[in-house]
Amino acid sequence: WTGLNTNKLFYAVYNGHTWAKQKTEPQASTVSGPALTVFDGRLYAAWAGRTTNKLFYANYNGHTWTKQKSEPQASTASGPALTVFDGRLYAAWAGRTTNKLFYAVYNGHAWTKQATHPQARTGSGPALTVFDGRMYAAWAGLNTDKLFYSAYSI
């Protein structure tokens, strides 16, 4: 989560009974809440950079975070979404100046070239999840109070 009156990114670990004391991801500074998912046995976090509008990510092995990296093509001012589908990590975000919904796929080594959802327009961060063998994206419509979604299957 993003701290109150700060741009630091906080996290805590739950053991099934109690929460550990909150800690900060020391490299992270964000304008909105992060996204979390488990990919390849590690916890991945993604967030929008506070002053750079870059999409940053890092992973956690249960003890330490890797050095933050950025998805080289992404530019966003709102929180991203993460999910795992068909053995790959998907990230989605609202374009900072275009209001398009962008996504890219990570195979554990490199990101694909970013692509856009052809009809989606939004000014806020999307949501991603997997259900019943399909990946779903949901987003708030631009200049409307409607919620839109789309499903993808392989």
Side-chain angles (χ1 to χ4, degrees):
W1 64 91
T2 305
L4 182 64
N5 300 322
T6 179
N7 294 106
K8 291 181 180 178
L9 186 63
F10 291 87
Y11 71 97
V13 178
Y14 184 69
N15 67 9
H17 301 287
T18 58
W19 286 97
K21 184 179 177 183
Q22 72 180 18
K23 298 179 182 178
T24 61
E25 203 293 291
Q27 310 160 76
S29 179
T30 186
V31 294
S32 61
L36 293 173
T37 198
V38 175
F39 173 65
D40 201 20
R42 292 176 161 261
L43 178 65
Y44 276 75
W47 61 93
R50 181 176 65 85
T51 59
T52 63
N53 296 314
K54 290 183 179 180
L55 178 62
F56 290 97
Y57 68 98
N59 68 67
Y60 182 70
N61 65 8
H63 301 288
T64 58
W65 288 96
T66 59
K67 183 178 179 183
Q68 74 178 12
K69 298 178 182 176
S70 64
E71 201 290 343
Q73 309 158 75
S75 177
T76 188
S78 59
L82 292 174
T83 199
V84 175
F85 181 63
D86 195 35
R88 296 178 292 173
L89 176 64
Y90 283 75
W93 62 93
R96 184 175 60 85
T97 59
T98 65
N99 296 319
K100 292 181 181 180
L101 180 61
F102 290 90
Y103 68 93
V105 184
Y106 185 67
N107 64 8
H109 304 288
W111 289 96
T112 61
K113 184 178 178 182
Q114 73 178 9
T116 60
H117 185 292
Q119 294 89 26
R121 298 290 182 267
T122 186
S124 60
L128 290 175
T129 197
V130 174
F131 176 70
D132 200 23
R134 300 176 84 183
M135 181 173 63
Y136 289 82
W139 61 94
L142 188 64
N143 301 321
T144 180
D145 59 357
K146 293 182 180 179
L147 179 66
F148 296 89
Y149 76 94
S150 182
Y152 176 75
S153 61
I154 293 181

